[in-house]
Amino acid sequence: MDPLIREWSERVRAAASRGESLQLRGGGTKDFYGQSPQGEVLDTRGFRGVVSYEPTELVITARCGTPLDELQAALAEQGQELPFEPPSFGHGATIGGCVAAGLSGPRRGNVGALRDFVLGTRIIDGRGEFLRFGGQVMKNVAGYDVSRLMAGSLGTLALLAEVSLKVLPKPVAERTLQFELGQATALARLNAWGGRPLPIGGSFWHADSLWLRLCGADAAVEAASRELGGEALEAGEAAALWQDIREHRHPFFAGEEALWRLAVPTDAAALPLEAPVAIEWGGGQRWLRGAQTAPQMRQVAEAAGGHATLFRGGNKAEGVFHPLPPVLARINRRIAEALDPQDVFGRGRIYPVD
Amino acid sequence: MGKQEAAVGIAQREADFSRVDRARLIEALAGALPAQCLLHAQEDIRPYECDGLSVYRQVPMAVVLPRTEAQVVSVLRICSEQGVPVVARGAGTGLSGGALPHAHGVVLSLARFNRILELDANARIAVVQPGVRNLAISEAAAAHGLYYAPDPSSQIACSIGGNVAENAGGVHCLKYGLTVHNVMRVRGITIDGEAVEIGSRAPDAPGYDVLALMHGSEGMLAVVTEITVRLTPRPRLARCILASFDDVARAGDAVAAVIAAGIIPAGLEMMDQPATAAVEEFVHAGYNLDAAAILLCESDGTPEEVAEEIERMRAVLEHSGATEIRISGDEAERLRFWAGRKAAFPAAGRISADYYCMDGTIPRKRVGEMLLAIQGMEKKYGLRCINVFHAGDGNMHPLVLFDANQPGELDRAEAFGADILELSVALGGTITGEHGVGIEKINQMCSQFTTPEIETFFRLKAAFDPAGLLNPGKAIPTLNRCAEYGRMRVSNGQLPHADLERF
């Protein structure tokens, strides 16, 4: 066992026995996400580096503290990528934090979310045990899927020491088309296109413009853009646009006003709220700015068949994540207790602990 | 902490259900269900004594076939109150004995939950009951140019509920994903009879990813009564390359070369010579019988895309030393190429009295090593083995041929299979890719996981089912079982789970 893993295990055990909490932290780029982190910081950046990467296996295994940039550069050298396009939200994001936050970027609507690419993990649970789940293979049903459970758990279940992710070749060709469309028409188009075998790899609607990215074989992208029309963006401009959307540097995301994220069925109608809106993932992810109260947002999200997250800013005292119905809340609480009985990892980051 | 300690207690030894009162149980069930939904006469419950893995058989105390969710709730409440094990069952096509009944338990068949409740072409989703057959979803969606992507070989018969329980794959999952990637929501009933909605039609859900945990959980966390699946636009065209190789390792290298070229084929399958010989006689797919191995490599998409990709694949396969390359000229020929692969299991049944299908998954680059080792095992156990596998994702299905009527052959077949699984773990893989652990591979779980990992599984199960009534004895071995198994199988002088008491 690596000495650092041993040291961390002991630290977790000590914290558990003293009833203290630890705040698992990589680059700290997602400190803003969820309730304020509590407890003494355990900096995961000391455990870093790509452990194994063979492009023909389509799997990369890295230690938690590996900078996301470094991992993505290693993939890019081989013409591969993390297809779910995780946002960094600043300098120094680590792969451990990326998986713990569970966030995906523009291509999520078409290739799947971060959780879909998690193949295996090594974790330190709340008892200080160093455990391995899943592996480096694409298909694996031995035991419950504890690895995927780590995605989006915000470090509240276990310390994610190492992760194996499925990777894919970068698309051969990309093209971005721009359309001038109102919200209702854009949503209708996105859903209609989604039902056809088109090489769509991202969509963004805001202020009566829809940008659609095509990703795939040369011939497929060429045929689809002929069929769909719209105005093609110059390649550099398109790349910058998607990068800005992914990293929330697009002007829509600027300013201090609360940013809400509503995940709804792609075919949900325009949400009945007077607030600036941006739409991604073919209609499935809707960003809203403004001072609506949490109950309003939650009610609108639920009515549309989804859920609302206070993503950034706003009043966190009203709750960040959408409240769970009682049975599911109990199952969530018991899952956390199963992995971390003493609550060393501060599950209050997601929901208040009563 | 009390609950957690209880979970570890359950982890230690198999629970004893011998005190279940059969008469009391049947009386309570009869009070809650119409007569035609409850079977308990020996001749009626006999057909439920096994699933697709027929070497394990056990008659349960009763079989229930509810028609409504309210009836499922009643059954679970009764079983919960009386402390009776419940084994959920779909179509019974599982290959790992996951639906093997419990001697003191109830089999809960979801066969009558066989309706497609909603198909929304615009939203590209279908809401289905768990007993709906996998293929029936695609058939219903076909009119809209959509289909349900995961296609296990048994898709004509297997049910979507069983697919969730085992996280079923298929021949197209390298590109289109497994069941877990194509299910958006399940509705389940806990052992206490409470309904719980997990996931939704939105792209994600708040809280922990309980939906992921449900996939491959083998009916041990909750009983699923409704499933929302994602439908995929059917590609306009699919074409398949049938490539022959005079060497198995070279075929394995060709698979890596295709991936290295940045191609993700829609399907990428490999069969060795004994396997092609077995199916060729049966379905006349036109396989090259002189080839040491054949590859099926499929491209799908728009006609332009397919033409481009097929050319790239052909170049890579030629460069990798393929001795013959054929490209399907039309849909009939493509289906003929696949017919052989999809008929591998029945073909094995045709040339051998019995066969034992394994499901280990290994890193692709170790496939040659594995095949070589299997040849050695054939000699060691005096049994033949034919190999088909999902080469794209390293999931192998060696079929060990044997005759259960010959004394000792079943034992040898099981030992052969166990060797393959242990080697899968040693090569950095897993004992099961898509068939599940069930009862069949439960001992090998002890090789793949440590004591604290197994305890974690039991604790997670207890988060849903504290009394351990849902499918007890499956999927996750007790620590006592591992201790016993460890005593049985000592490899290289290394005792697995050396920290455990031996009995």
Side-chain angles (χ1 to χ4, degrees):
Chain A
M1 195 187 293
D2 189 279
L4 195 51
I5 295 294
R6 184 162 300 146
E7 184 193 316
W8 285 349
S9 293
E10 279 160 19
R11 215 170 138 192
V12 169
R13 243 174 248 137
S17 69
R18 289 198 294 263
E20 292 168 3
S21 31
L22 292 173
Q23 181 192 145
L24 305 177
R25 192 169 187 270
T29 53
K30 279 105 184 164
D31 278 351
F32 72 88
Y33 189 52
Q35 296 290 354
S36 305
Q38 305 289 325
E40 191 183 81
V41 171
L42 189 158
D43 188 332
T44 58
R45 286 175 297 185
F47 196 59
R48 61 179 285 172
V50 171
V51 177
S52 68
Y53 171 43
E54 278 171 82
T56 60
E57 298 287 324
L58 297 175
V59 178
I60 192 162
T61 300
R63 291 171 166 175
C64 56
T66 311
L68 190 54
D69 291 348
E70 191 178 306
L71 185 140
Q72 285 173 318
L75 296 175
E77 250 177 61
Q78 303 294 330
Q80 297 187 338
E81 64 176 4
L82 298 175
F84 50 91
E85 299 188 316
S88 290
F89 292 142
H91 293 292
T94 63
I95 190 63
C98 167
V99 173
L103 301 172
S104 305
R107 263 178 97 200
R108 184 267 175 264
N110 310 95
V111 297
L114 179 144
R115 58 88 86 166
D116 293 315
F117 291 83
V118 174
L119 299 178
T121 52
R122 282 171 183 253
I123 62 171
I124 298 173
D125 74 2
R127 294 173 179 77
E129 297 279 2
F130 187 43
L131 310 170
R132 174 178 182 269
F133 297 102
Q136 300 186 316
V137 289
M138 304 288 160
K139 283 162 127 178
N140 192 349
V141 285
Y144 304 123
D145 199 345
V146 180
S147 295
R148 234 180 272 283
L149 191 60
M150 294 299 133
S153 66
L154 285 174
T156 64
L157 296 177
L159 188 163
L160 187 69
E162 190 183 292
V163 62
S164 297
L165 297 167
K166 178 180 174 178
V167 300
L168 286 177
K170 276 177 189 285
V172 176
E174 274 192 28
R175 187 171 308 171
T176 297
L177 307 174
Q178 185 176 353
F179 304 83
E180 299 310 312
L181 294 171
Q183 190 179 170
T185 317
L187 284 169
R189 290 270 173 92
L190 287 168
N191 279 284
W193 290 335
R196 290 163 51 193
L198 294 164
I200 296 173
S203 62
F204 183 75
W205 179 90
H206 174 57
D208 290 334
S209 282
L210 173 68
W211 289 270
L212 188 74
R213 182 170 55 170
L214 303 172
C215 303
D218 277 319
V221 168
E222 186 54 47
S225 40
R226 265 201 315 272
E227 189 179 329
L228 297 176
E231 196 172 321
L233 264 62
E234 184 266 318
E237 190 189 356
L241 172 73
W242 296 108
Q243 192 64 24
D244 285 353
I245 294 165
R246 170 178 176 170
E247 297 296 341
H248 286 189
R249 288 189 305 244
H250 185 277
F252 171 81
F253 297 100
E256 296 303 309
E257 255 187 326
L259 174 66
W260 283 87
R261 171 184 183 270
L262 275 67
V264 295
T266 57
D267 64 330
L271 302 174
L273 287 162
E274 287 299 319
V277 60
I279 301 175
E280 282 191 85
W281 301 358
Q285 175 165 263
R286 307 198 188 178
W287 300 100
L288 289 140
R289 303 301 305 264
Q292 277 85 0
T293 64
Q296 264 180 309
M297 283 294 182
R298 309 245 185 255
Q299 190 270 325
V300 166
E302 265 179 50
H307 66 102
T309 306
L310 178 54
F311 196 82
R312 208 192 275 267
N315 177 15
K316 290 188 180 185
E318 289 188 295
V320 171
F321 297 100
H322 207 95
L324 300 175
V327 179
L328 194 57
R330 188 186 68 214
I331 290 172
N332 268 257
R333 193 188 69 241
R334 288 187 183 166
I335 287 171
E337 286 167 0
L339 284 156
D340 179 18
Q342 301 297 320
D343 194 15
V344 173
F345 301 122
R347 68 187 75 122
R349 177 104 187 244
I350 303 181
Y351 293 112
V353 180
D354 34 59
Chain B
M1 280 303 279
K3 235 179 268 136
Q4 292 305 321
E5 281 153 18
V8 175
I10 294 169
Q12 196 65 49
R13 61 188 62 84
E14 302 275 345
D16 177 12
F17 295 102
S18 62
R19 291 166 74 183
V20 170
D21 182 338
R22 182 168 187 274
R24 184 170 161 245
L25 170 67
I26 288 170
E27 190 193 338
L29 292 171
L33 298 168
Q36 69 273 26
C37 294
L38 171 63
L39 308 176
H40 54 87
Q42 283 296 305
E43 66 271 22
D44 294 334
I45 58 177
R46 182 68 65 188
Y48 294 88
E49 68 179 353
C50 67
D51 60 12
L53 182 67
S54 58
V55 296
Y56 294 92
R57 289 169 193 269
Q58 174 63 57
V59 175
M61 278 191 169
V63 176
V64 295
L65 297 116
R67 291 178 188 284
T68 66
E69 193 181 88
Q71 291 170 350
V72 173
V73 168
S74 300
V75 168
L76 291 170
R77 288 217 172 113
I78 289 166
C79 291
S80 184
E81 272 161 32
Q82 301 195 12
V84 178
V86 180
V87 178
R89 176 186 168 106
T93 57
L95 293 169
S96 59
L100 177 75
H102 194 287
H104 303 285
V106 169
V107 166
L108 197 173
S109 166
L110 280 312
R112 287 177 178 164
F113 278 70
N114 58 359
R115 283 182 304 132
I116 295 177
L117 301 174
E118 187 189 346
L119 198 153
D120 185 333
N122 186 49
R124 290 146 278 137
I125 56 114
V127 182
V128 301
Q129 293 186 319
V132 170
R133 290 174 307 112
N134 172 297
L135 190 60
I137 304 175
S138 291
E139 286 167 353
H144 307 284
L146 302 169
Y147 75 116
Y148 174 66
D151 60 341
S153 299
S154 57
Q155 70 178 151
I156 300 170
C158 65
S159 68
I160 186 71
N163 290 178
V164 170
E166 306 297 353
N167 192 15
V171 298
H172 292 98
C173 53
L174 181 64
K175 184 166 175 183
Y176 294 102
L178 306 163
T179 306
V180 69
H181 302 113
N182 289 279
V183 167
M184 307 179 73
R185 159 196 169 261
V186 301
R187 179 180 168 88
I189 308 295
T190 67
I191 187 66
D192 306 315
E194 294 173 303
V196 57
E197 292 276 335
I198 302 167
S200 73
R201 288 187 193 187
D204 42 50
Y208 298 123
D209 198 338
V210 181
L211 191 59
L213 220 44
M214 289 296 291
H215 282 83
S217 66
E218 306 200 17
M220 297 177 66
L221 303 181
V223 174
V224 170
T225 56
E226 227 176 86
I227 299 161
T228 302
V229 299
R230 186 193 321 283
L231 301 173
T232 304
R234 184 167 286 288
R236 284 181 199 150
L237 179 68
R239 292 181 78 190
C240 186
I241 300 182
L242 173 59
S244 304
F245 290 83
D246 57 11
D247 179 77
V248 172
R250 207 164 292 147
D253 293 344
V255 169
V258 169
I259 306 283
I263 302 168
I264 300 297
L268 186 52
E269 297 284 312
M270 187 168 170
M271 297 170 80
D272 71 359
Q273 195 166 25
T276 52
V279 301
E280 192 52 36
E281 197 186 327
F282 185 30
V283 295
H284 312 293
Y287 294 163
N288 178 350
L289 295 177
D290 297 328
I294 61 151
L295 283 185
L296 290 167
C297 189
E298 182 155 286
S299 169
D300 66 12
T302 61
E304 302 86 348
E305 195 176 4
V306 171
E308 181 180 319
E309 196 167 75
I310 285 279
E311 261 328 296
R312 290 173 65 207
M313 286 172 173
R314 182 222 292 267
V316 173
L317 293 169
E318 268 171 4
H319 190 73
S320 305
T323 52
E324 188 194 30
I325 286 185
R326 287 165 55 197
I327 301 171
S328 64
D330 55 27
E331 189 62 6
E333 189 173 19
R334 184 182 79 88
L335 294 176
R336 203 156 53 243
F337 287 178
W338 280 108
R341 169 62 187 86
K342 292 212 172 187
F345 293 11
R350 209 162 161 273
I351 61 166
S352 173
D354 298 281
Y355 67 91
Y356 190 38
C357 171
M358 307 314 295
D359 179 41
T361 302
I362 56 175
R364 261 186 302 267
K365 63 185 172 196
R366 314 300 289 267
V367 164
E369 247 170 286
M370 175 59 96
L371 289 174
L372 212 62
I374 287 176
Q375 284 171 12
M377 293 175 201
E378 287 185 295
K379 293 195 187 78
K380 177 175 166 192
Y381 292 105
L383 294 173
R384 285 190 300 151
C385 180
I386 69 176
N387 290 289
V388 296
F389 51 100
H390 307 303
D393 45 35
N395 184 202
M396 308 187 62
H397 293 318
L399 302 168
V400 179
L401 309 181
F402 69 101
D403 181 351
N405 290 324
Q406 298 298 318
E409 284 213 0
L410 172 59
D411 291 343
R412 290 201 325 263
E414 287 192 311
F416 193 143
D419 273 9
I420 293 174
L421 297 185
E422 308 260 328
L423 184 60
S424 300
V425 175
L427 293 177
T430 179
I431 59 172
T432 175
E434 58 183 357
H435 294 172
V437 173
I439 191 68
E440 179 206 18
K441 294 180 271 290
I442 195 152
N443 288 335
Q444 285 75 36
M445 284 289 285
C446 308
S447 320
Q448 189 164 336
F449 294 99
T450 63
T451 298
E453 286 157 2
I454 287 170
E455 284 172 346
T456 302
F457 289 142
F458 274 96
R459 288 189 185 105
L460 283 169
K461 175 170 171 55
F464 294 78
D465 173 23
L469 296 177
L470 290 172
N471 215 2
K474 308 284 175 58
I476 314 295
T478 60
L479 299 176
N480 281 5
R481 179 185 271 273
C482 288
E484 289 284 312
Y485 181 65
R487 189 170 59 187
M488 242 162 52
R489 301 182 63 86
V490 178
S491 52
N492 307 324
Q494 289 248 308
L495 203 57
H497 302 270
D499 48 331
L500 290 176
E501 281 182 74
R502 257 63 194 184
F503 302 95

